[in-house]
Amino acid sequence: MPEPSLSIQPAGAAHLPALLGLLEGLFSLESDFAFDAAKAERGLRLLLERGDALVLVAEVGAEAVGLCSVQTLISTAEGGPVGLVEDVVVAPAWRGASVGRRLLLAAEHWASERGLTRLQLLADSGNAPALAFYHRMGWSDTQLVCKRRMLQR
Ligand SMILES: CC(C)(COP(=O)(O)OP(=O)(O)OC[C@H]1O[C@@H](n2cnc3c(N)ncnc32)[C@H](O)[C@@H]1OP(=O)(O)O)[C@@H](O)C(=O)NCCC(=O)NCCS
């Protein structure tokens, strides 16, 4: 029987359990974030409900092997909508097989089609493989530093 091929499509609620597994793997690599399944699910559901955001899932057959999300912001520098790529992760067994490339290109295509003029993302400064991946994908470095202040609920 032929191997099932890779598909990239917008995720739905049925993908949530698999997406949470992928997110847990991603957060374990990022020292600024701790994985909380309830918060991650709430965040994913909010993204799925928004008309100006995209959650992409990469699947091989019925197996979810990658995730990439984008949400829209307004930039005064660009004078219009831009995108923030929030989560990019490929299951360990599938890394190096162009899944990340396909996800990121699909996210870029979605953003271009919607008139977004720039995408940005945050990456852990110690995540050399991810930095090499973004460089290879044509993303440039900036002089920006991410600052954070947590607010009381
Ligand atoms: C980073 C990540 C998303 C890349 O996805 P991937 O499917 O492994 O990458 P691809 O196979 O699509 O690679 C695309 C290009 O990037 C390059 N690349 C990917 N990983 C690389 C690495 N570790 N070192 C150097 N180049 C790399 C590939 O060689 C390829 O270039 P090529 O077409 O010239 O060969 C994936 O490795 C991953 O999930 N890592 C853990 C989670 C993570 O760090 N996410 C990013 C958070 S900001």
Side-chain angles (χ1 to χ4, degrees):
M1 209 156 71
E3 292 280 313
S5 59
L6 178 74
S7 75
I8 308 281
Q9 58 179 315
H15 293 108
L16 280 171
L19 299 185
L20 287 171
L22 289 165
L23 274 187
E24 184 168 14
L26 173 62
F27 281 36
S28 71
L29 298 170
E30 295 185 320
S31 52
D32 282 302
F33 300 99
F35 182 72
D36 177 319
K39 287 183 181 175
E41 179 170 347
R42 203 158 66 228
L44 282 171
R45 284 187 186 279
L46 286 168
L47 284 175
L48 292 179
E49 285 166 10
R50 277 179 56 164
D52 63 352
L54 175 71
V55 181
L56 286 170
V57 59
E59 289 181 295
V60 177
E63 184 188 359
V65 300
L67 155 70
C68 175
S69 66
V70 196
Q71 46 195 297
T72 305
L73 306 170
I74 299 298
S75 164
T76 52
E78 300 295 335
V82 296
L84 179 68
V85 173
E86 179 82 1
D87 299 306
V88 182
V89 59
V90 174
W94 290 90
R95 289 180 193 160
S98 296
V99 178
R101 169 187 294 283
R102 295 265 311 269
L103 281 166
L104 204 53
L105 291 179
E108 290 178 17
H109 180 74
W110 175 88
S112 293
E113 292 277 297
R114 296 176 65 89
L116 278 58
T117 54
R118 187 188 72 205
L119 289 176
Q120 279 188 188
L121 58 78
L122 297 171
D124 194 306
S125 58
N127 190 347
L131 297 178
F133 165 71
Y134 292 121
H135 179 72
R136 191 75 193 108
M137 294 297 296
W139 286 55
S140 48
D141 292 337
T142 74
Q143 297 300 308
L144 299 172
V145 172
C146 179
K147 296 284 185 189
R148 167 190 279 182
R149 178 161 158 77
M150 302 305 285
L151 302 175
Q152 298 290 338
R153 303 195 76 175

Coordinates of all heavy atoms in Angstrom, one line a residue, residues 26 29-30 88-91 94-102 121-124 127-130 132-134 136-137, ligand 1:
L26 N 6.7 21.6 22.1 CA 7.3 22.9 21.8 C 7.6 23.6 23.1 O 8.7 24.2 23.3 CB 6.3 23.7 21.0 CG 6.6 25.2 20.7 CD1 7.9 25.3 19.9 CD2 5.5 25.9 20.0
L29 N 10.8 23.1 25.0 CA 12.0 23.6 24.5 C 12.2 25.1 24.9 O 13.3 25.6 24.6 CB 12.0 23.5 23.0 CG 12.0 22.1 22.4 CD1 11.8 22.2 20.9 CD2 13.3 21.3 22.7
E30 N 11.1 25.7 25.3 CA 11.2 27.2 25.4 C 11.2 27.6 26.9 O 10.2 27.4 27.7 CB 10.0 27.8 24.7 CG 10.1 27.6 23.2 CD 9.0 28.3 22.4 OE1 7.8 28.3 22.9 OE2 9.3 28.8 21.3
V88 N 5.2 27.2 16.0 CA 5.6 26.3 14.9 C 6.3 25.1 15.5 O 7.3 25.2 16.2 CB 6.6 27.1 14.0 CG1 7.0 26.2 12.8 CG2 6.1 28.4 13.5
V89 N 5.8 24.0 15.2 CA 6.4 22.7 15.8 C 6.1 21.5 14.9 O 5.0 21.4 14.4 CB 6.0 22.5 17.2 CG1 4.5 22.3 17.4 CG2 6.7 21.3 17.8
V90 N 7.1 20.7 14.7 CA 6.9 19.4 14.0 C 7.3 18.3 14.9 O 8.2 18.4 15.7 CB 7.9 19.4 12.8 CG1 7.9 18.1 12.1 CG2 7.5 20.6 11.8
A91 N 6.5 17.2 14.9 CA 6.8 16.1 15.8 C 8.2 15.6 15.5 O 8.7 15.6 14.4 CB 5.8 15.0 15.5
W94 N 9.4 13.5 12.5 CA 9.1 14.1 11.2 C 10.0 15.3 10.9 O 9.9 15.9 9.8 CB 7.6 14.5 11.1 CG 6.8 13.2 11.0 CD1 6.2 12.6 12.0 CD2 6.5 12.5 9.8 NE1 5.6 11.4 11.6 CE2 5.7 11.4 10.2 CE3 6.8 12.6 8.5 CZ2 5.2 10.4 9.3 CZ3 6.3 11.7 7.6 CH2 5.5 10.6 8.0
R95 N 10.9 15.7 11.8 CA 11.7 16.8 11.5 C 12.7 16.5 10.4 O 13.1 15.4 10.2 CB 12.5 17.2 12.8 CG 11.5 17.9 13.8 CD 12.1 18.3 15.1 NE 11.0 18.5 16.1 CZ 11.1 18.5 17.4 NH1 12.2 18.4 17.9 NH2 10.0 18.8 18.1
G96 N 13.0 17.6 9.7 CA 14.0 17.4 8.6 C 13.3 16.8 7.3 O 14.0 16.5 6.4
A97 N 12.0 16.8 7.3 CA 11.3 16.2 6.1 C 10.4 17.2 5.4 O 9.5 16.8 4.8 CB 10.5 15.0 6.6
S98 N 10.8 18.5 5.6 CA 10.1 19.6 4.9 C 8.7 19.9 5.4 O 7.9 20.6 4.8 CB 10.0 19.4 3.4 OG 11.3 19.3 2.8
V99 N 8.3 19.3 6.6 CA 7.0 19.6 7.2 C 7.0 21.0 7.6 O 6.0 21.8 7.3 CB 6.6 18.6 8.3 CG1 5.3 19.0 8.9 CG2 6.7 17.2 7.8
G100 N 8.0 21.5 8.3 CA 8.1 22.9 8.8 C 8.0 23.8 7.6 O 7.3 24.9 7.7
R101 N 8.8 23.5 6.6 CA 8.8 24.4 5.4 C 7.4 24.5 4.9 O 6.9 25.6 4.6 CB 9.7 23.8 4.3 CG 9.6 24.5 3.0 CD 10.4 23.7 1.9 NE 11.8 23.8 2.2 CZ 12.5 24.9 1.9 NH1 12.0 26.0 1.4 NH2 13.8 24.9 2.2
R102 N 6.7 23.4 4.7 CA 5.3 23.4 4.1 C 4.4 24.2 5.0 O 3.5 25.0 4.5 CB 4.8 22.0 3.9 CG 5.6 21.1 2.9 CD 5.0 21.2 1.5 NE 3.5 20.9 1.5 CZ 3.0 19.7 1.4 NH1 3.8 18.6 1.2 NH2 1.7 19.6 1.3
L121 N 7.8 36.7 14.5 CA 7.7 35.7 15.5 C 8.8 35.8 16.5 O 9.8 36.5 16.3 CB 7.7 34.3 14.8 CG 9.0 33.9 14.0 CD1 10.1 33.5 15.0 CD2 8.6 32.7 13.2
L122 N 8.6 35.2 17.6 CA 9.5 35.1 18.7 C 10.2 33.7 18.7 O 9.4 32.7 18.6 CB 8.9 35.4 20.1 CG 8.3 36.8 20.2 CD1 7.5 36.8 21.5 CD2 9.4 37.8 20.2
A123 N 11.5 33.7 18.8 CA 12.1 32.4 19.0 C 13.1 32.4 20.1 O 13.7 33.5 20.4 CB 12.9 32.0 17.7
D124 N 13.2 31.3 20.8 CA 14.2 31.3 21.9 C 15.6 31.5 21.4 O 16.0 30.8 20.5 CB 14.0 29.9 22.6 CG 14.7 29.8 23.9 OD1 15.9 30.2 24.1 OD2 14.0 29.4 24.9
N127 N 17.7 28.5 20.8 CA 17.1 27.4 20.0 C 17.8 27.4 18.6 O 17.2 27.9 17.6 CB 15.6 27.5 19.9 CG 14.9 26.3 19.2 OD1 15.6 25.5 18.6 ND2 13.6 26.2 19.3
A128 N 19.0 27.0 18.6 CA 19.8 27.1 17.3 C 19.2 26.4 16.1 O 19.2 26.9 15.0 CB 21.2 26.5 17.6
P129 N 18.6 25.2 16.3 CA 17.9 24.5 15.2 C 16.8 25.4 14.6 O 16.7 25.5 13.4 CB 17.4 23.2 15.7 CG 18.2 22.9 16.9 CD 18.6 24.3 17.5
A130 N 16.0 26.0 15.5 CA 14.9 26.8 15.0 C 15.4 28.0 14.3 O 14.9 28.4 13.2 CB 13.9 27.2 16.1
A132 N 18.2 28.4 12.7 CA 18.8 27.9 11.4 C 17.6 27.7 10.4 O 17.7 28.1 9.2 CB 19.6 26.7 11.6
F133 N 16.5 27.1 10.9 CA 15.4 26.9 10.1 C 14.8 28.2 9.5 O 14.6 28.3 8.3 CB 14.3 26.1 10.9 CG 12.9 26.1 10.3 CD1 12.7 25.3 9.2 CD2 11.9 26.8 10.9 CE1 11.4 25.3 8.7 CE2 10.6 26.8 10.4 CZ 10.3 26.0 9.2
Y134 N 14.6 29.2 10.4 CA 14.0 30.4 10.0 C 14.9 31.1 9.0 O 14.5 31.8 8.0 CB 13.6 31.3 11.1 CG 12.5 30.8 12.0 CD1 12.7 30.5 13.3 CD2 11.3 30.5 11.4 CE1 11.6 30.0 14.1 CE2 10.2 30.0 12.1 CZ 10.4 29.7 13.5 OH 9.4 29.2 14.2
R136 N 17.0 29.7 7.0 CA 16.9 29.0 5.7 C 15.6 29.3 5.0 O 15.6 29.3 3.7 CB 16.9 27.5 6.0 CG 17.1 26.6 4.8 CD 18.5 26.6 4.3 NE 18.6 26.1 3.0 CZ 18.7 26.7 1.8 NH1 19.0 28.0 1.9 NH2 18.7 26.1 0.7
M137 N 14.6 29.7 5.7 CA 13.3 30.0 5.1 C 13.2 31.5 4.7 O 12.1 31.9 4.3 CB 12.2 29.7 6.1 CG 12.0 28.2 6.4 SD 11.6 27.2 5.0 CE 10.0 27.8 4.6
Ligands
LIG1 C1 12.2 24.1 13.7 C2 11.2 23.1 13.1 C3 9.8 23.6 13.1 C4 11.7 22.9 11.6 O1 10.8 22.0 11.0 P1 11.3 20.9 10.0 O2 10.2 20.2 9.4 O3 12.3 20.0 10.8 O4 12.2 21.7 8.9 P2 12.2 21.4 7.3 O5 12.6 20.0 7.1 O6 11.0 21.9 6.7 O7 13.4 22.3 6.9 C5 13.3 23.5 6.1 C6 14.7 24.1 5.9 O8 15.3 24.4 7.1 C7 16.5 23.7 7.3 N1 16.6 23.3 8.7 C8 15.6 22.7 9.4 N2 16.1 22.3 10.6 C9 17.4 22.7 10.6 C10 18.4 22.6 11.6 N3 18.2 22.0 12.7 N4 19.6 23.1 11.3 C11 19.9 23.7 10.0 N5 18.9 23.8 9.1 C12 17.7 23.3 9.4 C13 16.4 22.5 6.4 O9 17.7 22.0 6.0 C14 15.6 23.0 5.2 O10 16.4 23.7 4.3 P3 16.7 23.0 2.9 O11 15.4 23.0 2.2 O12 17.7 23.9 2.3 O13 17.2 21.7 3.1 C15 11.3 21.7 13.7 O14 12.6 21.3 13.8 C16 10.8 21.7 15.2 O15 9.6 21.4 15.4 N6 11.6 22.0 16.1 C17 11.2 22.0 17.5 C18 10.2 23.1 17.9 C19 10.7 24.5 17.6 O16 11.9 24.8 18.0 N7 9.9 25.3 16.9 C20 10.3 26.7 16.7 C21 9.9 27.5 17.8 S1 10.3 29.3 17.5

